[in-house]
Amino acid sequence: MLSTKSSKVESMSHYEVEQVVKTAPPEGCEGDDWYRYDIKGERNRITGYARGSLRKVTSYAKEQALNLNARAEGQSIYPWAPRKR
């Protein structure tokens, strides 16, 4: 994920999926196929909920971590949320 060159931005922008666990649905939601995922960064943690199979939710969480890393490195695929330092 990270290149071999080091910089302050890269060392602070590493996000990775810490865990994906089956959970009860969030308040107001139905279904029994909900998972909670935790994405850990050096300075913060992001918790999200998604519905689907364990494989799909894990894949989704990994994609979110990759997007967060890209955004922090100024390489976001989302033009409305760039982060350049």
Side-chain angles (χ1 to χ4, degrees):
M1 280 192 253
L2 295 177
S3 67
T4 55
K5 76 175 189 181
S6 67
S7 73
K8 188 174 182 180
V9 172
E10 287 179 354
S11 66
M12 291 168 46
S13 66
H14 186 73
Y15 291 90
E16 60 185 22
V17 177
E18 186 175 45
Q19 67 177 350
V20 178
V21 294
K22 191 155 183 71
T23 187
E27 189 174 328
C29 296
E30 296 179 5
D32 63 350
D33 56 349
W34 284 90
Y35 290 85
R36 185 188 82 228
Y37 59 88
D38 294 317
I39 298 175
K40 183 180 175 186
E42 287 190 24
R43 295 186 291 172
N44 57 10
R45 173 172 294 174
I46 298 164
T47 299
Y49 294 85
R51 190 174 182 186
S53 68
L54 176 60
R55 178 181 283 180
K56 286 185 179 185
V57 175
T58 300
S59 176
Y60 175 78
K62 287 180 180 180
E63 182 180 332
Q64 298 312 305
L66 288 173
N67 289 339
L68 287 165
N69 285 323
R71 180 178 176 199
E73 293 173 10
Q75 302 171 3
S76 177
I77 60 171
Y78 301 109
W80 58 86
R83 281 233 160 137
K84 295 184 181 181
R85 297 177 187 207

